[in-house]
Coordinates of all heavy atoms in Angstrom, one line a residue:
M403 N 54.0 -72.9 15.8 CA 52.6 -73.1 15.6 C 52.0 -71.8 15.1 O 52.4 -70.7 15.5 CB 51.9 -73.4 16.9 CG 50.4 -73.4 16.9 SD 49.7 -73.7 18.6 CE 48.0 -73.4 18.2
S404 N 51.1 -71.9 14.1 CA 50.5 -70.7 13.6 C 49.0 -70.8 13.9 O 48.4 -71.9 13.8 CB 50.8 -70.4 12.1 OG 50.2 -71.5 11.4
V405 N 48.4 -69.7 14.2 CA 46.9 -69.7 14.5 C 46.2 -68.9 13.4 O 46.7 -67.8 13.0 CB 46.7 -69.0 15.9 CG1 45.2 -68.9 16.2 CG2 47.4 -69.7 17.0
A406 N 45.2 -69.5 12.9 CA 44.4 -68.8 11.8 C 43.3 -67.9 12.4 O 42.6 -68.3 13.3 CB 43.8 -69.9 10.9
F407 N 43.3 -66.7 11.9 CA 42.3 -65.8 12.4 C 41.3 -65.4 11.3 O 41.7 -65.2 10.1 CB 43.0 -64.5 12.9 CG 43.8 -64.6 14.1 CD1 45.1 -64.8 14.0 CD2 43.2 -64.6 15.3 CE1 45.9 -64.9 15.2 CE2 43.9 -64.7 16.5 CZ 45.3 -64.9 16.4
L408 N 40.1 -65.3 11.7 CA 39.1 -64.7 10.7 C 39.1 -63.2 10.9 O 39.5 -62.7 12.0 CB 37.7 -65.2 11.1 CG 37.5 -66.7 10.9 CD1 36.1 -67.2 11.4 CD2 37.6 -67.1 9.4
P409 N 38.8 -62.5 9.9 CA 39.0 -61.0 10.0 C 37.9 -60.4 10.8 O 36.8 -60.8 11.0 CB 38.9 -60.5 8.5 CG 38.1 -61.6 7.8 CD 38.5 -62.9 8.5
A410 N 38.3 -59.3 11.5 CA 37.4 -58.3 12.1 C 36.7 -59.0 13.3 O 35.5 -58.7 13.5 CB 36.5 -57.7 11.2
L411 N 37.4 -59.8 14.0 CA 36.7 -60.5 15.2 C 37.7 -60.3 16.4 O 38.9 -60.2 16.3 CB 36.4 -61.9 14.9 CG 35.3 -62.2 13.9 CD1 35.3 -63.7 13.5 CD2 34.0 -61.7 14.4
Y412 N 37.1 -60.5 17.6 CA 37.8 -60.5 18.8 C 38.1 -61.9 19.3 O 37.2 -62.7 19.3 CB 37.1 -59.7 19.9 CG 37.2 -58.2 19.6 CD1 36.2 -57.5 19.0 CD2 38.3 -57.4 20.1 CE1 36.2 -56.1 18.7 CE2 38.3 -56.1 19.9 CZ 37.3 -55.4 19.2 OH 37.4 -54.1 19.0
Y413 N 39.3 -62.1 19.8 CA 39.7 -63.4 20.3 C 40.3 -63.2 21.7 O 40.8 -62.1 22.0 CB 40.8 -64.0 19.4 CG 40.3 -64.5 18.1 CD1 40.2 -63.6 17.0 CD2 40.0 -65.8 17.8 CE1 39.7 -64.0 15.8 CE2 39.6 -66.2 16.6 CZ 39.5 -65.3 15.6 OH 39.0 -65.7 14.3
E414 N 40.2 -64.2 22.5 CA 41.1 -64.3 23.7 C 42.3 -65.1 23.2 O 42.2 -66.2 22.9 CB 40.4 -65.0 24.8 CG 41.3 -65.0 26.1 CD 40.6 -65.7 27.2 OE1 39.6 -65.2 27.7 OE2 41.1 -66.8 27.6
A415 N 43.4 -64.4 23.3 CA 44.7 -65.0 22.8 C 45.7 -65.2 23.9 O 45.7 -64.4 24.9 CB 45.3 -64.2 21.7
T416 N 46.5 -66.2 23.8 CA 47.6 -66.3 24.7 C 48.9 -66.3 23.8 O 48.9 -66.8 22.7 CB 47.6 -67.6 25.5 OG1 47.6 -68.7 24.7 CG2 46.4 -67.6 26.5
A417 N 49.9 -65.7 24.4 CA 51.1 -65.5 23.6 C 52.3 -65.6 24.5 O 52.2 -65.4 25.7 CB 51.1 -64.1 22.9
R418 N 53.4 -66.0 23.9 CA 54.6 -66.3 24.7 C 55.8 -65.5 24.1 O 56.0 -65.5 22.9 CB 54.9 -67.8 24.8 CG 56.2 -68.1 25.6 CD 56.3 -69.6 25.8 NE 56.4 -70.3 24.5 CZ 56.0 -71.5 24.3 NH1 55.6 -72.3 25.3 NH2 56.1 -72.0 23.1
D419 N 56.6 -64.9 24.9 CA 57.7 -64.1 24.5 C 58.8 -65.1 24.1 O 59.2 -66.0 24.9 CB 58.2 -63.2 25.6 CG 59.2 -62.2 25.0 OD1 60.3 -62.6 24.6 OD2 58.9 -61.0 25.0
G420 N 59.4 -65.0 22.9 CA 60.5 -65.9 22.5 C 61.8 -65.3 22.3 O 62.7 -65.8 21.7
N421 N 62.0 -64.1 23.0 CA 63.3 -63.4 22.9 C 64.1 -63.7 24.1 O 63.8 -63.2 25.2 CB 63.0 -61.9 22.7 CG 64.2 -61.1 22.7 OD1 65.3 -61.6 22.6 ND2 64.1 -59.8 22.6
P422 N 65.2 -64.4 24.0 CA 66.0 -64.8 25.1 C 66.6 -63.6 25.9 O 67.0 -63.7 27.0 CB 67.1 -65.7 24.6 CG 66.6 -66.1 23.2 CD 65.7 -65.0 22.7
D423 N 66.7 -62.5 25.2 CA 67.3 -61.3 25.8 C 66.3 -60.5 26.6 O 66.6 -59.5 27.2 CB 67.9 -60.4 24.7 CG 69.1 -61.1 24.0 OD1 69.8 -61.9 24.7 OD2 69.2 -60.9 22.8
C424 N 65.0 -60.9 26.6 CA 64.0 -60.2 27.2 C 63.6 -60.7 28.6 O 63.6 -62.0 28.7 CB 62.8 -60.2 26.3 SG 61.4 -59.3 26.9
R425 N 63.3 -59.9 29.5 CA 62.9 -60.4 30.8 C 61.6 -61.1 30.8 O 61.2 -61.7 31.8 CB 63.0 -59.4 31.9 CG 62.1 -58.2 31.8 CD 62.4 -57.3 33.0 NE 61.9 -55.9 32.7 CZ 60.7 -55.4 33.1 NH1 59.8 -56.2 33.6 NH2 60.4 -54.2 32.8
N426 N 60.8 -60.9 29.8 CA 59.6 -61.7 29.6 C 59.8 -63.1 29.0 O 58.8 -63.8 28.7 CB 58.6 -60.9 28.7 CG 57.9 -59.8 29.5 OD1 57.9 -59.8 30.7 ND2 57.3 -58.9 28.8
Y427 N 61.0 -63.4 28.7 CA 61.3 -64.6 28.0 C 60.6 -65.8 28.5 O 60.7 -66.1 29.7 CB 62.8 -64.9 27.9 CG 63.2 -66.1 27.1 CD1 62.8 -66.3 25.8 CD2 64.1 -67.0 27.7 CE1 63.2 -67.4 25.1 CE2 64.5 -68.2 27.0 CZ 64.0 -68.3 25.7 OH 64.4 -69.5 25.0
E428 N 59.9 -66.5 27.7 CA 59.1 -67.8 28.0 C 58.0 -67.5 29.0 O 57.4 -68.5 29.5 CB 60.1 -68.9 28.5 CG 61.0 -69.4 27.4 CD 61.6 -70.7 27.7 OE1 61.9 -70.9 28.9 OE2 61.8 -71.5 26.8
Q429 N 57.6 -66.3 29.2 CA 56.4 -66.0 30.0 C 55.2 -65.9 29.0 O 55.4 -65.5 27.9 CB 56.6 -64.7 30.8 CG 57.6 -64.8 31.9 CD 57.4 -63.7 32.9 OE1 56.4 -63.4 33.4 NE2 58.5 -62.9 33.0
E430 N 54.1 -66.4 29.6 CA 52.9 -66.4 28.7 C 52.0 -65.2 29.2 O 51.9 -65.0 30.4 CB 52.2 -67.7 28.8 CG 53.0 -68.8 28.2 CD 52.2 -70.2 28.2 OE1 51.0 -70.2 28.5 OE2 52.9 -71.2 27.9
F431 N 51.3 -64.6 28.2 CA 50.4 -63.5 28.5 C 49.1 -63.8 27.8 O 49.0 -64.4 26.8 CB 51.0 -62.2 27.9 CG 52.3 -61.9 28.5 CD1 53.5 -62.4 28.0 CD2 52.4 -61.0 29.6 CE1 54.7 -62.1 28.6 CE2 53.6 -60.7 30.2 CZ 54.8 -61.2 29.7
T432 N 48.1 -63.3 28.5 CA 46.7 -63.5 27.9 C 46.2 -62.1 27.5 O 46.3 -61.1 28.2 CB 45.8 -64.1 29.0 OG1 46.3 -65.3 29.3 CG2 44.4 -64.2 28.4
V433 N 45.7 -62.1 26.3 CA 45.1 -60.9 25.7 C 43.6 -61.1 25.7 O 43.1 -62.0 24.9 CB 45.7 -60.5 24.3 CG1 45.1 -59.2 23.9 CG2 47.2 -60.5 24.4
N434 N 42.8 -60.4 26.5 CA 41.4 -60.7 26.6 C 40.6 -60.4 25.4 O 39.6 -61.0 25.1 CB 40.9 -60.0 27.9 CG 41.4 -60.6 29.1 OD1 41.5 -61.8 29.3 ND2 41.8 -59.8 30.1
A435 N 41.0 -59.3 24.7 CA 40.2 -58.9 23.6 C 41.2 -58.5 22.5 O 41.6 -57.4 22.3 CB 39.3 -57.7 23.9
F436 N 41.6 -59.6 21.8 CA 42.6 -59.4 20.7 C 41.9 -59.3 19.4 O 41.2 -60.2 19.0 CB 43.6 -60.6 20.7 CG 44.6 -60.6 19.7 CD1 45.7 -59.7 19.8 CD2 44.5 -61.4 18.6 CE1 46.7 -59.7 18.8 CE2 45.5 -61.4 17.6 CZ 46.6 -60.5 17.7
Y437 N 42.1 -58.2 18.8 CA 41.3 -57.9 17.5 C 42.1 -58.4 16.3 O 43.4 -58.2 16.2 CB 41.1 -56.4 17.4 CG 40.1 -56.1 16.3 CD1 38.8 -56.5 16.3 CD2 40.6 -55.3 15.2 CE1 38.0 -56.2 15.2 CE2 39.7 -54.9 14.2 CZ 38.4 -55.4 14.2 OH 37.6 -55.1 13.2
S438 N 41.4 -59.1 15.4 CA 42.1 -59.8 14.3 C 42.4 -58.9 13.1 O 43.0 -59.4 12.1 CB 41.3 -61.0 13.9 OG 40.1 -60.6 13.4
N439 N 41.9 -57.7 13.1 CA 42.1 -56.8 12.0 C 41.6 -57.4 10.7 O 40.5 -57.9 10.6 CB 43.6 -56.3 11.9 CG 44.0 -55.5 13.1 OD1 43.3 -54.6 13.4 ND2 45.1 -56.0 13.7
A440 N 42.5 -57.6 9.7 CA 42.1 -58.2 8.5 C 42.2 -59.7 8.5 O 41.9 -60.3 7.5 CB 42.9 -57.6 7.3
G441 N 42.5 -60.3 9.6 CA 42.7 -61.7 9.7 C 44.2 -62.1 9.4 O 44.5 -63.3 9.5
T442 N 45.0 -61.2 9.0 CA 46.4 -61.4 8.7 C 47.2 -60.4 9.6 O 46.6 -59.4 10.0 CB 46.7 -61.3 7.3 OG1 46.4 -60.0 6.8 CG2 46.0 -62.3 6.4
N443 N 48.4 -60.7 9.7 CA 49.3 -59.8 10.4 C 48.8 -59.5 11.8 O 48.7 -58.4 12.3 CB 49.5 -58.4 9.7 CG 50.1 -58.6 8.3 OD1 51.0 -59.5 8.1 ND2 49.7 -57.8 7.4
C444 N 48.3 -60.6 12.5 CA 47.9 -60.5 13.8 C 49.0 -60.8 14.8 O 49.5 -61.9 14.8 CB 46.7 -61.6 14.1 SG 45.3 -61.3 13.0
Y445 N 49.4 -59.8 15.5 CA 50.6 -59.9 16.3 C 50.3 -59.4 17.7 O 49.5 -58.5 17.9 CB 51.7 -59.1 15.8 CG 52.2 -59.5 14.4 CD1 52.2 -58.6 13.4 CD2 52.7 -60.8 14.2 CE1 52.6 -59.0 12.1 CE2 53.1 -61.1 12.9 CZ 53.1 -60.2 11.9 OH 53.5 -60.6 10.7
V446 N 50.9 -60.1 18.7 CA 51.0 -59.6 20.0 C 52.4 -59.1 20.2 O 53.3 -59.9 20.0 CB 50.6 -60.7 21.1 CG1 50.7 -60.2 22.5 CG2 49.2 -61.2 20.8
T447 N 52.6 -57.9 20.5 CA 53.9 -57.3 20.6 C 54.3 -57.2 22.1 O 53.5 -56.7 22.9 CB 53.9 -55.9 20.0 OG1 53.5 -56.0 18.6 CG2 55.3 -55.3 20.0
C448 N 55.5 -57.6 22.4 CA 56.0 -57.5 23.8 C 56.2 -56.1 24.1 O 56.8 -55.3 23.4 CB 57.3 -58.3 23.9 SG 58.1 -58.2 25.5
G449 N 55.7 -55.7 25.3 CA 55.9 -54.3 25.8 C 57.3 -54.0 26.3 O 57.6 -52.9 26.5
I450 N 58.1 -55.0 26.5 CA 59.4 -54.8 27.0 C 60.4 -54.7 25.8 O 61.1 -53.8 25.6 CB 59.8 -55.9 27.9 CG1 58.9 -56.0 29.1 CG2 61.3 -55.7 28.4 CD1 58.8 -54.8 30.0
C451 N 60.4 -55.8 25.0 CA 61.4 -55.8 23.9 C 60.9 -55.4 22.6 O 61.6 -55.2 21.6 CB 62.0 -57.2 23.8 SG 60.9 -58.5 23.2
G452 N 59.6 -55.3 22.4 CA 59.0 -54.8 21.2 C 58.9 -55.8 20.1 O 58.5 -55.5 19.0
Q453 N 59.3 -57.1 20.4 CA 59.2 -58.1 19.4 C 57.9 -58.8 19.4 O 57.1 -58.7 20.4 CB 60.3 -59.1 19.6 CG 61.7 -58.5 19.4 CD 62.8 -59.6 19.2 OE1 62.4 -60.8 18.9 NE2 64.0 -59.2 19.3
H454 N 57.5 -59.4 18.3 CA 56.3 -60.2 18.2 C 56.4 -61.4 19.1 O 57.4 -62.2 19.0 CB 56.0 -60.6 16.8 CG 55.7 -59.4 15.9 ND1 55.8 -59.4 14.5 CD2 55.3 -58.1 16.2 CE1 55.5 -58.2 14.0 NE2 55.2 -57.4 15.0
M455 N 55.4 -61.7 19.8 CA 55.3 -62.9 20.6 C 54.7 -64.0 19.7 O 54.0 -63.8 18.8 CB 54.4 -62.7 21.8 CG 55.0 -61.8 22.9 SD 54.0 -61.7 24.3 CE 54.9 -60.6 25.3
E456 N 55.0 -65.2 20.2 CA 54.4 -66.4 19.5 C 53.0 -66.6 20.1 O 52.8 -66.7 21.3 CB 55.2 -67.7 19.8 CG 54.6 -68.9 19.2 CD 55.3 -70.2 19.6 OE1 56.2 -70.1 20.5 OE2 55.0 -71.2 19.1
I457 N 52.0 -66.6 19.2 CA 50.7 -66.8 19.6 C 50.4 -68.2 19.8 O 50.6 -69.0 18.9 CB 49.7 -66.1 18.6 CG1 49.9 -64.6 18.6 CG2 48.2 -66.5 19.0 CD1 49.0 -63.9 17.6
L458 N 50.0 -68.6 21.0 CA 49.9 -70.0 21.3 C 48.5 -70.5 21.1 O 48.2 -71.6 20.5 CB 50.2 -70.2 22.8 CG 51.6 -69.8 23.2 CD1 51.8 -69.9 24.7 CD2 52.7 -70.6 22.5
T459 N 47.5 -69.7 21.5 CA 46.1 -70.1 21.4 C 45.3 -68.9 21.1 O 45.7 -67.7 21.4 CB 45.5 -70.7 22.7 OG1 45.5 -69.8 23.7 CG2 46.3 -72.0 23.1
A460 N 44.2 -69.1 20.4 CA 43.3 -68.0 20.1 C 41.9 -68.5 20.1 O 41.6 -69.4 19.4 CB 43.6 -67.3 18.8
L461 N 41.1 -68.0 21.1 CA 39.7 -68.5 21.2 C 38.8 -67.4 20.8 O 38.8 -66.3 21.3 CB 39.5 -68.9 22.7 CG 38.2 -69.5 23.0 CD1 38.0 -70.9 22.4 CD2 38.0 -69.6 24.6
L462 N 37.9 -67.7 19.8 CA 37.0 -66.7 19.4 C 36.0 -66.4 20.5 O 35.4 -67.3 21.1 CB 36.2 -67.3 18.2 CG 35.2 -66.3 17.5 CD1 36.0 -65.2 16.9 CD2 34.4 -67.1 16.4
L463 N 35.9 -65.1 20.8 CA 35.0 -64.7 21.8 C 33.5 -64.8 21.4 O 33.2 -64.3 20.3 CB 35.3 -63.2 22.2 CG 36.6 -63.0 22.9 CD1 36.8 -61.5 23.2 CD2 36.8 -63.8 24.2
D464 N 32.7 -65.4 22.2 CA 31.3 -65.6 21.8 C 30.5 -65.4 23.1 O 30.5 -66.2 24.0 CB 31.1 -67.0 21.3 CG 29.7 -67.2 20.8 OD1 28.9 -66.2 20.7 OD2 29.3 -68.4 20.6
P465 N 29.8 -64.3 23.2 CA 29.5 -63.3 22.1 C 30.7 -62.4 22.0 O 31.6 -62.3 22.9 CB 28.3 -62.5 22.7 CG 28.5 -62.6 24.2 CD 29.0 -64.0 24.4
Q466 N 30.8 -61.7 20.9 CA 31.8 -60.7 20.7 C 31.6 -59.5 21.6 O 30.5 -59.2 21.9 CB 31.8 -60.2 19.2 CG 32.2 -61.3 18.2 CD 33.7 -61.5 18.1 OE1 34.4 -60.6 17.7 NE2 34.2 -62.6 18.6
P467 N 32.7 -58.9 22.1 CA 32.5 -57.8 23.0 C 31.9 -56.6 22.2 O 32.0 -56.4 21.0 CB 33.9 -57.5 23.4 CG 34.8 -58.1 22.4 CD 34.1 -59.2 21.8
E468 N 31.1 -55.9 23.0 CA 30.5 -54.7 22.4 C 31.5 -53.6 22.3 O 32.2 -53.3 23.2 CB 29.3 -54.2 23.3 CG 28.3 -55.3 23.6 CD 26.9 -54.9 23.2 OE1 26.7 -53.8 22.9 OE2 26.1 -55.8 23.3
V469 N 31.5 -53.0 21.1 CA 32.5 -51.9 20.9 C 31.7 -50.6 20.8 O 30.8 -50.5 20.0 CB 33.2 -52.2 19.5 CG1 34.2 -51.0 19.3 CG2 33.9 -53.5 19.6
S470 N 32.0 -49.7 21.7 CA 31.3 -48.5 21.7 C 32.1 -47.4 21.1 O 33.3 -47.5 20.9 CB 30.9 -48.1 23.1 OG 32.1 -48.0 23.9
Ligands
ZN382 ZN1 59.9 -59.4 25.1

């Protein structure tokens, strides 16, 4: 599954580790303020194995978080 992102917005995203060698394998993680950058190359990186997780869902935050 691929999730489409609009650029320069914050999303609440969920992602799952797909690396069988990783102890996070098949665990799901929530990223509360996932920034979409340019709308492409949006990745959630596993802190254990360093690989890109599969992004399962992405919900546009409304309102967008205040960035100070
Ligand atoms: Zn991992």
Side-chain angles (χ1 to χ4, degrees):
M403 172 183 175
S404 65
V405 178
F407 290 98
L408 296 171
L411 291 171
Y412 285 94
Y413 290 81
E414 181 182 294
T416 58
R418 182 173 56 206
D419 194 295
N421 178 5
D423 297 326
C424 179
R425 63 179 157 93
N426 281 344
Y427 181 52
E428 292 197 324
Q429 292 197 55
E430 292 185 12
F431 298 87
T432 300
V433 185
N434 290 319
F436 179 72
Y437 189 63
S438 64
N439 297 308
T442 57
N443 300 323
C444 299
Y445 298 120
V446 178
T447 303
C448 176
I450 303 298
C451 67
Q453 294 199 15
H454 294 159
M455 293 186 179
E456 178 188 6
I457 295 176
L458 303 173
T459 64
L461 184 68
L462 184 65
L463 293 179
D464 185 15
Q466 291 282 292
E468 305 238 351
V469 181
S470 56

